[in-house]
mmCIF file of all heavy atoms in Angstrom:
data_model
loop_
_atom_site.group_PDB
_atom_site.id
_atom_site.type_symbol
_atom_site.label_atom_id
_atom_site.label_comp_id
_atom_site.label_asym_id
_atom_site.label_seq_id
_atom_site.Cartn_x
_atom_site.Cartn_y
_atom_site.Cartn_z
ATOM 1 N N PHE A 16 0.788 -1.194 0.034
ATOM 2 C CA PHE A 16 0.005 -0.013 0.039
ATOM 3 C C PHE A 16 0.846 1.297 -0.050
ATOM 4 O O PHE A 16 0.710 2.116 -0.889
ATOM 5 C CB PHE A 16 -0.942 0.048 1.201
ATOM 6 C CG PHE A 16 -1.941 -1.141 1.227
ATOM 7 C CD1 PHE A 16 -2.074 -1.919 2.344
ATOM 8 C CD2 PHE A 16 -2.693 -1.419 0.148
ATOM 9 C CE1 PHE A 16 -2.949 -2.977 2.359
ATOM 10 C CE2 PHE A 16 -3.554 -2.512 0.134
ATOM 11 C CZ PHE A 16 -3.715 -3.247 1.256
ATOM 12 N N ILE A 17 1.669 1.472 1.003
ATOM 13 C CA ILE A 17 2.304 2.763 1.189
ATOM 14 C C ILE A 17 3.640 2.897 0.437
ATOM 15 O O ILE A 17 4.512 2.009 0.520
ATOM 16 C CB ILE A 17 2.509 3.008 2.714
ATOM 17 C CG1 ILE A 17 1.146 3.090 3.408
ATOM 18 C CG2 ILE A 17 3.308 4.350 2.941
ATOM 19 C CD1 ILE A 17 1.234 3.332 4.915
ATOM 20 N N LYS A 18 3.706 3.971 -0.297
ATOM 21 C CA LYS A 18 4.958 4.202 -1.095
ATOM 22 C C LYS A 18 5.929 5.082 -0.300
ATOM 23 O O LYS A 18 7.142 4.856 -0.284
ATOM 24 C CB LYS A 18 4.582 4.899 -2.422
ATOM 25 C CG LYS A 18 5.803 5.310 -3.234
ATOM 26 C CD LYS A 18 5.341 6.106 -4.497
ATOM 27 C CE LYS A 18 6.511 6.561 -5.289
ATOM 28 N NZ LYS A 18 6.077 7.489 -6.389
ATOM 29 N N GLU A 19 5.419 6.175 0.321
ATOM 30 C CA GLU A 19 6.314 7.108 1.037
ATOM 31 C C GLU A 19 5.678 7.435 2.429
ATOM 32 O O GLU A 19 4.480 7.553 2.589
ATOM 33 C CB GLU A 19 6.379 8.439 0.240
ATOM 34 C CG GLU A 19 7.042 8.242 -1.167
ATOM 35 C CD GLU A 19 7.009 9.531 -1.962
ATOM 36 O OE1 GLU A 19 6.374 10.546 -1.454
ATOM 37 O OE2 GLU A 19 7.522 9.530 -3.073
ATOM 38 N N ARG A 20 6.578 7.578 3.337
ATOM 39 C CA ARG A 20 6.203 8.026 4.745
ATOM 40 C C ARG A 20 7.129 9.193 5.078
ATOM 41 O O ARG A 20 8.297 9.134 4.947
ATOM 42 C CB ARG A 20 6.389 6.940 5.772
ATOM 43 C CG ARG A 20 5.209 6.019 5.946
ATOM 44 C CD ARG A 20 5.394 5.208 7.234
ATOM 45 N NE ARG A 20 4.348 4.224 7.448
ATOM 46 C CZ ARG A 20 4.441 2.989 7.005
ATOM 47 N NH1 ARG A 20 5.422 2.564 6.349
ATOM 48 N NH2 ARG A 20 3.360 2.171 7.255
ATOM 49 N N GLU A 21 6.522 10.259 5.660
ATOM 50 C CA GLU A 21 7.302 11.355 6.135
ATOM 51 C C GLU A 21 6.972 11.601 7.583
ATOM 52 O O GLU A 21 5.836 11.986 7.952
ATOM 53 C CB GLU A 21 6.934 12.691 5.362
ATOM 54 C CG GLU A 21 7.714 13.913 5.760
ATOM 55 C CD GLU A 21 7.202 15.198 5.146
ATOM 56 O OE1 GLU A 21 6.190 15.134 4.405
ATOM 57 O OE2 GLU A 21 7.831 16.233 5.357
ATOM 58 N N ILE A 22 7.939 11.240 8.477
ATOM 59 C CA ILE A 22 7.704 11.440 9.942
ATOM 60 C C ILE A 22 8.050 12.917 10.233
ATOM 61 O O ILE A 22 9.170 13.331 10.051
ATOM 62 C CB ILE A 22 8.600 10.469 10.718
ATOM 63 C CG1 ILE A 22 8.251 9.017 10.341
ATOM 64 C CG2 ILE A 22 8.405 10.690 12.229
ATOM 65 C CD1 ILE A 22 9.219 8.017 10.966
ATOM 66 N N LEU A 23 7.108 13.625 10.745
ATOM 67 C CA LEU A 23 7.223 15.049 10.889
ATOM 68 C C LEU A 23 7.802 15.444 12.248
ATOM 69 O O LEU A 23 7.399 14.937 13.264
ATOM 70 C CB LEU A 23 5.870 15.729 10.713
ATOM 71 C CG LEU A 23 5.098 15.402 9.436
ATOM 72 C CD1 LEU A 23 3.823 16.163 9.411
ATOM 73 C CD2 LEU A 23 5.910 15.802 8.214
ATOM 74 N N THR A 24 8.746 16.460 12.211
ATOM 75 C CA THR A 24 9.140 17.112 13.429
ATOM 76 C C THR A 24 8.178 18.172 13.767
ATOM 77 O O THR A 24 7.291 18.519 12.945
ATOM 78 C CB THR A 24 10.547 17.686 13.230
ATOM 79 O OG1 THR A 24 10.439 18.770 12.185
ATOM 80 C CG2 THR A 24 11.613 16.668 12.712
ATOM 81 N N GLN A 25 8.305 18.833 14.972
ATOM 82 C CA GLN A 25 7.373 19.914 15.231
ATOM 83 C C GLN A 25 7.581 20.979 14.307
ATOM 84 O O GLN A 25 6.602 21.643 13.872
ATOM 85 C CB GLN A 25 7.672 20.411 16.666
ATOM 86 C CG GLN A 25 6.760 21.691 16.976
ATOM 87 C CD GLN A 25 6.455 21.868 18.463
ATOM 88 O OE1 GLN A 25 5.949 20.940 19.107
ATOM 89 N NE2 GLN A 25 6.763 23.004 18.931
ATOM 90 N N LYS A 26 8.778 21.302 13.804
ATOM 91 C CA LYS A 26 9.074 22.318 12.818
ATOM 92 C C LYS A 26 8.296 21.961 11.555
ATOM 93 O O LYS A 26 7.693 22.880 10.890
ATOM 94 C CB LYS A 26 10.574 22.472 12.568
ATOM 95 C CG LYS A 26 10.957 23.468 11.429
ATOM 96 C CD LYS A 26 10.521 24.887 11.777
ATOM 97 C CE LYS A 26 11.252 25.955 10.874
ATOM 98 N NZ LYS A 26 10.991 25.732 9.497
ATOM 99 N N ASP A 27 8.385 20.740 11.099
ATOM 100 C CA ASP A 27 7.646 20.331 9.883
ATOM 101 C C ASP A 27 6.113 20.611 10.047
ATOM 102 O O ASP A 27 5.491 21.120 9.122
ATOM 103 C CB ASP A 27 7.836 18.843 9.638
ATOM 104 C CG ASP A 27 9.286 18.477 9.257
ATOM 105 O OD1 ASP A 27 9.990 19.342 8.685
ATOM 106 O OD2 ASP A 27 9.660 17.353 9.583
ATOM 107 N N ILE A 28 5.597 20.282 11.221
ATOM 108 C CA ILE A 28 4.169 20.383 11.412
ATOM 109 C C ILE A 28 3.778 21.865 11.390
ATOM 110 O O ILE A 28 2.804 22.263 10.831
ATOM 111 C CB ILE A 28 3.740 19.759 12.735
ATOM 112 C CG1 ILE A 28 3.969 18.226 12.702
ATOM 113 C CG2 ILE A 28 2.270 20.031 13.078
ATOM 114 C CD1 ILE A 28 3.851 17.518 14.010
ATOM 115 N N MET A 29 4.614 22.685 11.958
ATOM 116 C CA MET A 29 4.389 24.184 11.972
ATOM 117 C C MET A 29 4.458 24.731 10.589
ATOM 118 O O MET A 29 3.614 25.540 10.112
ATOM 119 C CB MET A 29 5.325 24.893 12.860
ATOM 120 C CG MET A 29 5.121 24.662 14.363
ATOM 121 S SD MET A 29 6.098 25.791 15.417
ATOM 122 C CE MET A 29 7.772 25.324 14.997
ATOM 123 N N ASP A 30 5.441 24.221 9.784
ATOM 124 C CA ASP A 30 5.536 24.666 8.366
ATOM 125 C C ASP A 30 4.292 24.320 7.591
ATOM 126 O O ASP A 30 3.784 25.106 6.783
ATOM 127 C CB ASP A 30 6.770 24.033 7.699
ATOM 128 C CG ASP A 30 8.081 24.637 8.222
ATOM 129 O OD1 ASP A 30 8.053 25.624 8.915
ATOM 130 O OD2 ASP A 30 9.165 24.058 7.808
ATOM 131 N N TYR A 31 3.802 23.065 7.841
ATOM 132 C CA TYR A 31 2.560 22.654 7.087
ATOM 133 C C TYR A 31 1.412 23.504 7.553
ATOM 134 O O TYR A 31 0.553 23.913 6.711
ATOM 135 C CB TYR A 31 2.286 21.181 7.349
ATOM 136 C CG TYR A 31 2.912 20.230 6.417
ATOM 137 C CD1 TYR A 31 3.966 19.304 6.893
ATOM 138 C CD2 TYR A 31 2.567 20.134 5.068
ATOM 139 C CE1 TYR A 31 4.546 18.437 6.030
ATOM 140 C CE2 TYR A 31 3.171 19.221 4.258
ATOM 141 C CZ TYR A 31 4.177 18.424 4.720
ATOM 142 O OH TYR A 31 4.762 17.503 3.836
ATOM 143 N N HIS A 32 1.341 23.851 8.852
ATOM 144 C CA HIS A 32 0.283 24.685 9.378
ATOM 145 C C HIS A 32 0.278 26.056 8.624
ATOM 146 O O HIS A 32 -0.800 26.476 8.230
ATOM 147 C CB HIS A 32 0.476 24.890 10.850
ATOM 148 C CG HIS A 32 -0.671 25.453 11.613
ATOM 149 N ND1 HIS A 32 -1.247 24.883 12.693
ATOM 150 C CD2 HIS A 32 -1.459 26.593 11.375
ATOM 151 C CE1 HIS A 32 -2.260 25.596 13.142
ATOM 152 N NE2 HIS A 32 -2.418 26.659 12.317
ATOM 153 N N LEU A 33 1.438 26.610 8.439
ATOM 154 C CA LEU A 33 1.511 27.887 7.685
ATOM 155 C C LEU A 33 1.153 27.710 6.250
ATOM 156 O O LEU A 33 0.355 28.447 5.689
ATOM 157 C CB LEU A 33 2.930 28.436 7.760
ATOM 158 C CG LEU A 33 3.119 29.525 8.843
ATOM 159 C CD1 LEU A 33 3.034 29.012 10.245
ATOM 160 C CD2 LEU A 33 4.419 30.282 8.613
ATOM 161 N N MET A 34 1.795 26.719 5.552
ATOM 162 C CA MET A 34 1.554 26.573 4.121
ATOM 163 C C MET A 34 0.114 26.268 3.830
ATOM 164 O O MET A 34 -0.455 26.845 2.814
ATOM 165 C CB MET A 34 2.422 25.422 3.584
ATOM 166 C CG MET A 34 3.870 25.752 3.539
ATOM 167 S SD MET A 34 4.888 24.473 2.727
ATOM 168 C CE MET A 34 4.752 23.119 3.867
ATOM 169 N N LEU A 35 -0.545 25.455 4.619
ATOM 170 C CA LEU A 35 -1.972 25.152 4.363
ATOM 171 C C LEU A 35 -2.874 26.281 4.893
ATOM 172 O O LEU A 35 -3.809 26.616 4.184
ATOM 173 C CB LEU A 35 -2.323 23.791 5.028
ATOM 174 C CG LEU A 35 -1.543 22.591 4.437
ATOM 175 C CD1 LEU A 35 -1.735 21.419 5.440
ATOM 176 C CD2 LEU A 35 -2.028 22.245 3.096
ATOM 177 N N GLY A 36 -2.536 26.773 6.067
ATOM 178 C CA GLY A 36 -3.372 27.819 6.631
ATOM 179 C C GLY A 36 -3.443 29.104 5.784
ATOM 180 O O GLY A 36 -4.502 29.759 5.774
ATOM 181 N N PHE A 37 -2.371 29.374 5.084
ATOM 182 C CA PHE A 37 -2.383 30.619 4.288
ATOM 183 C C PHE A 37 -3.115 30.424 2.987
ATOM 184 O O PHE A 37 -3.396 31.354 2.215
ATOM 185 C CB PHE A 37 -0.913 31.086 4.014
ATOM 186 C CG PHE A 37 -0.355 31.888 5.117
ATOM 187 C CD1 PHE A 37 0.948 31.639 5.560
ATOM 188 C CD2 PHE A 37 -1.081 32.969 5.691
ATOM 189 C CE1 PHE A 37 1.480 32.401 6.584
ATOM 190 C CE2 PHE A 37 -0.524 33.661 6.716
ATOM 191 C CZ PHE A 37 0.775 33.455 7.201
ATOM 192 N N ARG A 38 -3.532 29.171 2.644
ATOM 193 C CA ARG A 38 -4.411 28.986 1.503
ATOM 194 C C ARG A 38 -5.826 29.517 1.840
ATOM 195 O O ARG A 38 -6.621 29.844 0.970
ATOM 196 C CB ARG A 38 -4.489 27.446 1.157
ATOM 197 C CG ARG A 38 -3.224 26.907 0.489
ATOM 198 C CD ARG A 38 -3.533 25.533 -0.120
ATOM 199 N NE ARG A 38 -4.471 25.625 -1.192
ATOM 200 C CZ ARG A 38 -4.193 25.896 -2.418
ATOM 201 N NH1 ARG A 38 -2.909 26.107 -2.798
ATOM 202 N NH2 ARG A 38 -5.119 25.977 -3.376
ATOM 203 N N LEU A 39 -6.129 29.498 3.186
ATOM 204 C CA LEU A 39 -7.453 30.050 3.527
ATOM 205 C C LEU A 39 -7.394 31.611 3.488
ATOM 206 O O LEU A 39 -6.466 32.201 3.940
ATOM 207 C CB LEU A 39 -7.763 29.651 4.955
ATOM 208 C CG LEU A 39 -7.967 28.148 5.122
ATOM 209 C CD1 LEU A 39 -8.081 27.746 6.628
ATOM 210 C CD2 LEU A 39 -9.265 27.703 4.405
ATOM 211 N N VAL A 40 -8.427 32.195 2.866
ATOM 212 C CA VAL A 40 -8.431 33.611 2.616
ATOM 213 C C VAL A 40 -8.372 34.370 3.938
ATOM 214 O O VAL A 40 -7.751 35.410 4.078
ATOM 215 C CB VAL A 40 -9.638 34.010 1.776
ATOM 216 C CG1 VAL A 40 -9.709 35.480 1.666
ATOM 217 C CG2 VAL A 40 -9.582 33.358 0.400
ATOM 218 N N GLU A 41 -9.022 33.839 4.981
ATOM 219 C CA GLU A 41 -9.078 34.493 6.288
ATOM 220 C C GLU A 41 -7.843 34.024 7.122
ATOM 221 O O GLU A 41 -7.711 34.476 8.321
ATOM 222 C CB GLU A 41 -10.374 34.154 7.023
ATOM 223 C CG GLU A 41 -11.561 34.763 6.310
ATOM 224 C CD GLU A 41 -12.855 34.360 7.029
ATOM 225 O OE1 GLU A 41 -12.847 33.619 7.965
ATOM 226 O OE2 GLU A 41 -13.910 34.834 6.561
ATOM 227 N N GLY A 42 -6.978 33.168 6.641
ATOM 228 C CA GLY A 42 -5.753 32.802 7.358
ATOM 229 C C GLY A 42 -6.063 31.886 8.551
ATOM 230 O O GLY A 42 -6.983 31.117 8.544
ATOM 231 N N PHE A 43 -5.212 32.068 9.546
ATOM 232 C CA PHE A 43 -5.354 31.279 10.816
ATOM 233 C C PHE A 43 -5.090 32.128 12.034
ATOM 234 O O PHE A 43 -4.474 33.189 11.973
ATOM 235 C CB PHE A 43 -4.418 30.074 10.751
ATOM 236 C CG PHE A 43 -2.951 30.411 10.668
ATOM 237 C CD1 PHE A 43 -2.191 30.605 11.768
ATOM 238 C CD2 PHE A 43 -2.351 30.573 9.389
ATOM 239 C CE1 PHE A 43 -0.855 30.933 11.668
ATOM 240 C CE2 PHE A 43 -1.009 30.861 9.273
ATOM 241 C CZ PHE A 43 -0.221 31.081 10.422
#
């Protein structure tokens, strides 16, 4: 089933929070 796994550090999770959250027009 699984091809790739990315184990996230807290910095990674925060980066994703920003990258995805800024897609929202009202932000986060």
Side-chain angles (χ1 to χ4, degrees):
F16 300 129
I17 297 179
K18 177 187 176 185
E19 298 174 358
R20 271 194 183 93
E21 181 187 8
I22 301 174
L23 305 181
T24 64
Q25 175 153 308
K26 175 63 164 58
D27 295 330
I28 296 169
M29 289 192 297
D30 287 352
Y31 274 112
H32 194 126
L33 260 71
M34 289 188 292
L35 295 167
F37 278 133
R38 289 192 64 89
L39 294 170
V40 175
E41 294 177 357
F43 59 90

